Amino acid sequence: MQKIIKLFKAIWLLLKRPALFNLILKDEEVLRNEFEKVFPALKLQELDPFAWTEAQELNIAPYAFLSGSSMVTDFAFLQMLCRKYKVETYLEIGTWRGESAANVAPFVKEVFSLNLPDSTLRSMGQSPNYIDSHRFFSKDIKNITHLFGDSATFDWQPYAHKCDLVFIDGDHATEAVLRDTQTALGLRKSSDSILVWHDAKQDAEYPRYEVLLGIFKALPAHMHSNIYLVKHALCAVYLPDALIGQAIDLNALPKRAFELRLTQKEV
Ligand SMILES: C[S@@+](CC[C@H](N)C(=O)[O-])C[C@H]1O[C@@H](n2cnc3c(N)ncnc32)[C@H](O)[C@@H]1O
């Protein structure tokens, strides 16, 4: 009886507010089913960069600890990639406060960071505080160039075949990730270049199928075996070398612990 009442309540709510359908369609359980239907043989795998020698010495700065901030471990991962693979040209889609750009800048020759222009954010009805926070940490860093535009329509030609690493962290809807990933393929300096996606996980352990669907649909099948979820972080990565990924073991006992010392910086 309770179930029938719930069903009628749900139907009534959906009829009253059809936008609620989007919540169902974007539910991770629904998207996981779609992922498994589209890629029935695919087993997601995990990479543990904190086992690399580069993980011995990490300094994450700046870090805002504010709404929407990436995890400390995401910036650590980007830094480690830049050091390990000697990245010279780093390009990212999605600047916001400039935290990711500022974190990698000391380790690369040049950073390009694209974001929707402030005028577009304004016309989208975003708050002045949100708009003003864009580029806060990256605006005065010499080797960072800010690019403005919508990644869907931006003229990418000047950056084609120039990038050692492309970080995709703009719009996280499946279709947008698919499109940005296809763009990133053309930006790679060579087939050895690295692709990183943010928010490919819901948290430090669980996959986020909304983003994973975009990634795997965009990349040709022969690249799928080199895509890894990143342990302790929210990223996924495409690496050219066939590292041995591990099977994902959700809610397993911790195998390592970190110690963080928090130091405040002038802003
Ligand atoms: C998650 S934030 C980026 C965070 C940043 N990478 C960091 O870690 O510090 C996403 C940003 O992407 C921008 N964005 C969303 N859709 C975009 C698009 N189609 N083209 C360019 N930028 C976009 C948003 O304005 C927002 O500032």
Side-chain angles (χ1 to χ4, degrees):
M1 195 58 187
Q2 276 290 52
K3 276 189 182 161
I4 293 175
I5 293 172
K6 269 192 191 164
L7 180 66
F8 276 113
K9 219 171 159 182
I11 292 171
W12 172 243
L13 275 172
L14 286 171
L15 290 174
K16 247 181 36 181
R17 288 179 55 196
L20 290 175
F21 271 112
N22 288 328
L23 290 183
I24 300 173
L25 296 175
K26 286 184 87 176
D27 182 79
E28 273 296 304
E29 191 56 27
V30 173
L31 295 168
R32 184 170 68 87
N33 283 336
E34 185 185 336
F35 187 89
E36 286 168 359
K37 222 183 252 168
V38 183
F39 304 108
L42 206 145
K43 290 266 169 292
L44 291 174
Q45 50 180 344
E46 195 171 57
L47 171 83
D48 183 2
F50 293 91
W52 296 350
T53 49
E54 286 76 10
Q56 298 304 313
E57 221 185 293
L58 289 163
N59 182 41
I60 308 308
Y63 193 74
F65 276 112
L66 288 175
S67 163
S69 277
S70 301
M71 289 174 64
V72 175
T73 44
D74 289 312
F75 296 148
F77 177 57
L78 288 172
Q79 289 184 1
M80 285 193 278
L81 281 174
C82 292
R83 289 162 56 199
K84 186 176 173 70
Y85 292 90
K86 307 204 177 351
V87 169
E88 290 188 352
T89 302
Y90 164 105
L91 184 145
E92 66 179 19
I93 297 175
T95 310
W96 196 4
R97 298 186 189 98
E99 267 178 296
S100 48
N103 265 280
V104 300
F107 304 100
V108 301
K109 200 169 117 201
E110 51 186 1
V111 171
F112 296 99
S113 184
L114 174 93
N115 208 89
L116 293 168
D118 293 358
S119 55
T120 306
L121 296 174
R122 213 168 291 124
S123 65
M124 289 163 75
Q126 299 287 7
S127 73
N129 275 355
Y130 173 74
I131 298 168
D132 287 350
S133 66
H134 279 70
R135 304 171 295 285
F136 183 85
F137 290 113
S138 52
K139 59 182 182 302
D140 296 325
I141 300 178
K142 294 267 179 308
N143 63 341
I144 299 180
T145 304
H146 294 99
L147 308 173
F148 296 93
D150 183 329
S151 64
T153 51
F154 187 71
D155 175 13
W156 288 110
Q157 203 43 44
Y159 308 95
H161 313 300
K162 293 223 163 61
C163 305
D164 300 293
L165 191 159
V166 181
F167 180 44
I168 298 170
D169 190 18
D171 181 346
H172 294 97
T174 303
E175 290 312 312
V177 174
L178 193 158
R179 187 195 62 221
D180 287 349
T181 304
Q182 284 171 337
T183 297
L185 283 174
L187 300 178
R188 292 178 306 161
K189 193 180 276 176
S190 76
S191 57
D192 281 350
S193 300
I194 299 166
L195 304 176
V196 185
W197 300 265
H198 197 245
D199 292 313
K201 292 165 75 180
Q202 302 174 54
D203 60 24
E205 292 197 69
Y206 282 79
R208 179 170 168 191
Y209 289 94
E210 181 182 19
V211 170
L212 291 173
L213 267 168
I215 298 172
F216 280 91
K217 280 182 178 176
L219 296 186
H222 71 88
M223 291 176 78
H224 287 182
S225 56
N226 288 35
I227 300 171
Y228 308 92
L229 299 186
V230 179
K231 201 166 177 67
H232 303 300
L234 301 181
C235 293
V237 62
Y238 169 84
L239 282 175
D241 36 358
L243 295 175
I244 299 158
Q246 300 144 6
I248 295 171
D249 194 10
L250 293 171
N251 282 317
L253 290 178
K255 293 198 177 68
R256 70 160 60 83
F258 299 87
E259 178 178 313
L260 307 180
R261 283 165 212 270
L262 300 188
T263 313
Q264 292 192 31
K265 282 169 73 78
E266 292 287 323
V267 290

